[in-house]
Amino acid sequence: MDVSSQMERPKKQKLGGGEEMVGQRKGLSDLPDVVIAKIISSLPTKEAIRTSILSKRWEYLWTSIPNLEFYPGNAKRSLLVNVVDRALLLRGPSDIKQFRLRFPVLGDASRVHAWISAIVRRNVEDLSIELDSHKEPFSLPHSLLTSATLKVLNLYLPCSFKVPSTICFSSLRELSLCSVVFSDDYSTQQLFSGCPVLENLSFSECNWENIKFVSICAPKLLRLSIDESELPISRGSNVCQIMVFGVSLAYFYYSGQLLNDYCLCNSSVHEAHISIDDTKGSRLNSYLLHKLLRGLSTVKSLTIFHQNLEVALTGASELLAQMPMFNDLTTLIFDGRVIELDSIVLLRILQNCPCLRDLSFHEGVRLCSDDAKDDGMLDIPLPPCFSTSLKEIGVSEFCGNQNELRALRILLKNAIVLENMFVSYRGTLEGNTEKKRDLNKQISDLPKGSQSCEIDCD
């Protein structure tokens, strides 16, 4: 027997707005407008707009939600235009806190200009604009570039970027520029001079070909990220010099082919991630990388994505002897590819890290020759950190071949104050208990320079 059929079904009663109420339980329409609006604001914009068909009372409640986002998806472009127009036209007196827009501009640059102006008038704090299908130079509204309320600005603008002469982002703390083509030195300098409280700055695939020099002076800048990994290699004779004065700068990220001359001045960076994709090893690139590393000499944690770092640094071999000292560096991570323990770049960096405590090889380490004399560190003196400060070594993606075991042997033998070595096996060994047991024994039997060193294999 169906138990539910024995239960008394409460009668449904119509509410004044057309909704139904079960028994004496109240529905949403009994709540004040301000509460309903708050509930609607928690929905994605698309779903919030759909609530307008629920009843007459709900028709315009969505127009006051603080966060709006519009993406074309599979909808027709004309439909997106109408929805954005309607959202801004019907907007009540309430401010817009966050606005997201992705839009193919085509011939509607003036319409986009008007949209942005309307958004700024609503005291927007967080604005993300992604514009494509536009080849002509694009001018942003003057009101945007003098906004007193804007705190976060994300721009994807794959065309020439034109700005007015007066720029004052008095509240802007986060600026992200993607695929922007900077048009000239003056306007670019004006842009970065108008961000006095900027804390986070990000460039992704930006084009500096038209610029010779720009200075970014941001006393409150904490994080700087530069990604040029997808840019086509096109340098010509012009290299843009970008000088960054960030006395508060704590984090730096760079990925790319060193198409520009980045110089960090008076910075105190604590953490840095460097990924160099250079397959040619030109002298110019070697000098640019060496200059960049000098600006990072204060780091405490450094991650190097070792794709083509060796190629980039050996383009001018005389610079290897002038490698900057990293006196404060305690954590050094190599990622991106397996590291050759006899790499001249690796050994030079280790030589200049006297206080290094943690050393990690995320893609593994190996030594393909057995030329190490008496288990020494090959052709140069033992890095000072191996006898004074190096406490932990981590090796990932370990599969147990002789080249890898040879590298572990040298590391364990020479790190005389080592406390822990962590070895993580490659996924292909998952479930191969016998193989891993045999490797565990081989590793534990390796001679150790530090009698208190513990080895953890996983």
Side-chain angles (χ1 to χ4, degrees):
M1 180 181 292
D2 186 359
V3 177
S4 62
S5 64
Q6 302 301 309
M7 299 175 61
E8 181 180 354
R9 303 182 184 275
K11 294 181 179 179
K12 294 182 178 180
Q13 301 177 4
K14 290 281 186 179
L15 293 177
E19 296 82 359
E20 292 182 332
M21 181 175 69
V22 180
Q24 297 301 314
R25 290 178 295 177
K26 293 185 176 181
L28 285 175
S29 287
D30 288 283
L31 299 174
D33 283 357
V34 65
V35 175
I36 297 176
K38 191 163 185 177
I39 294 172
I40 294 175
S41 67
S42 67
L43 300 172
T45 302
K46 183 177 180 180
E47 303 304 323
I49 294 175
R50 285 177 173 173
T51 63
S52 63
I53 66 172
L54 295 180
S55 75
K56 195 70 175 174
R57 182 187 173 198
W58 287 56
E59 187 173 1
Y60 299 109
L61 290 179
W62 69 271
T63 61
S64 63
I65 61 177
N67 302 329
L68 294 169
E69 55 182 34
F70 300 98
Y71 302 118
N74 297 322
K76 291 183 178 180
R77 182 176 175 277
S78 58
L79 178 60
L80 178 61
V81 169
N82 291 335
V83 170
V84 177
D85 277 344
R86 187 166 176 257
L88 297 177
L89 180 65
L90 298 177
R91 186 79 186 179
S94 58
D95 289 342
I96 296 175
K97 183 176 182 180
Q98 183 184 85
F99 192 93
R100 301 271 185 270
L101 173 67
R102 184 184 301 138
F103 183 68
V105 179
L106 298 178
D108 278 328
S110 59
R111 184 188 296 270
V112 175
H113 195 283
W115 285 346
I116 296 175
S117 297
I119 296 162
V120 173
R121 285 195 298 272
R122 295 300 183 189
N123 300 317
V124 65
E125 297 180 13
D126 185 339
L127 177 62
S128 179
I129 302 290
E130 299 180 39
L131 305 178
D132 53 27
S133 302
H134 185 71
K135 301 301 181 183
E136 299 298 321
F138 188 86
S139 298
L140 291 171
H142 181 269
S143 59
L144 171 64
L145 299 172
T146 55
S147 169
T149 60
L150 193 62
K151 297 178 181 178
V152 178
L153 176 61
N154 298 288
L155 283 179
Y156 171 80
L157 196 63
C159 61
S160 185
F161 178 54
K162 298 186 70 175
V163 296
S165 57
T166 303
I167 300 174
C168 183
F169 285 117
S170 58
S171 301
L172 191 67
R173 286 171 169 75
E174 182 175 326
L175 175 62
S176 178
L177 301 175
C178 181
S179 297
V180 168
V181 179
F182 297 105
S183 57
D184 61 81
D185 288 50
Y186 178 75
S187 64
T188 303
Q189 187 62 65
Q190 289 295 101
L191 172 63
F192 296 118
S193 298
C195 307
V197 297
L198 194 64
E199 296 177 356
N200 297 332
L201 177 59
S202 173
F203 301 107
S204 179
E205 319 306 342
C206 290
N207 188 323
W208 303 82
E209 285 185 345
N210 303 320
I211 313 297
K212 293 182 179 179
F213 174 84
V214 66
S215 171
I216 301 175
C217 185
K220 295 188 177 183
L221 187 65
L222 299 174
R223 299 174 64 87
L224 173 61
S225 299
I226 303 167
D227 188 349
E228 299 175 331
S229 57
E230 299 298 325
L231 273 178
I233 301 178
S234 174
R235 172 181 282 146
S237 59
N238 182 38
V239 174
C240 178
Q241 185 178 43
I242 303 164
M243 299 192 71
V244 180
F245 296 87
V247 294
S248 302
L249 190 62
Y251 175 86
F252 178 78
Y253 172 89
Y254 178 82
S255 176
Q257 305 121 336
L258 291 170
L259 297 179
N260 300 294
D261 179 5
Y262 294 101
C263 182
L264 304 180
C265 305
N266 302 323
S267 67
S268 55
V269 178
H270 293 161
E271 181 181 356
H273 294 244
I274 303 293
S275 177
I276 305 299
D277 187 13
D278 176 18
T279 58
K280 296 181 179 180
S282 69
R283 289 183 62 82
L284 176 57
N285 275 18
S286 292
Y287 274 90
L288 293 178
L289 178 55
H290 187 266
K291 186 176 182 179
L292 179 59
L293 290 175
R294 284 207 313 268
L296 296 172
S297 60
T298 61
V299 293
K300 295 181 178 179
S301 175
L302 176 61
T303 299
I304 298 176
F305 293 86
H306 197 288
Q307 298 292 344
N308 294 296
L309 186 67
E310 185 117 9
V311 175
L313 277 173
T314 53
S317 56
E318 68 274 13
L319 293 178
L320 288 175
Q322 303 173 32
M323 187 77 69
M325 292 295 296
F326 298 98
N327 290 316
D328 299 322
L329 188 66
T330 58
T331 300
L332 178 60
I333 300 170
F334 289 94
D335 205 343
R337 58 174 290 183
V338 61
I339 299 298
E340 301 291 343
L341 191 58
D342 59 352
S343 160
I344 186 63
V345 171
L346 167 66
L347 298 175
R348 287 297 179 188
I349 292 176
L350 290 176
Q351 281 283 343
N352 289 12
C353 303
C355 298
L356 188 66
R357 177 182 172 85
D358 302 323
L359 175 61
S360 295
F361 303 95
H362 282 184
E363 295 294 329
V365 61
R366 66 189 179 192
L367 181 60
C368 294
S369 69
D370 56 0
D371 293 337
K373 300 173 183 178
D374 298 323
D375 294 329
M377 292 295 286
L378 305 167
D379 296 328
I380 65 174
L382 185 71
C385 61
F386 273 70
S387 58
T388 60
S389 60
L390 188 59
K391 304 293 185 182
E392 291 188 0
I393 296 177
V395 178
S396 301
E397 297 297 318
F398 189 80
C399 59
N401 61 50
Q402 289 304 307
N403 292 336
E404 293 173 312
L405 287 167
R406 188 179 294 120
L408 291 193
R409 178 185 178 88
I410 290 180
L411 290 171
L412 284 169
K413 181 70 174 180
N414 288 278
I416 62 176
V417 295
L418 194 66
E419 295 177 356
N420 296 288
M421 174 175 276
F422 301 98
V423 180
S424 178
Y425 292 115
R426 184 170 293 180
T428 53
L429 292 178
E430 185 69 30
N432 194 336
T433 306
E434 184 176 346
K435 173 71 172 177
K436 291 168 71 173
R437 186 185 301 115
D438 178 60
L439 287 174
N440 287 349
K441 185 177 188 309
Q442 290 187 58
I443 295 172
S444 64
D445 289 343
L446 292 174
K448 306 177 186 65
S450 169
Q451 298 306 310
S452 60
C453 176
E454 295 185 1
I455 301 176
D456 184 357
C457 299
D458 182 13

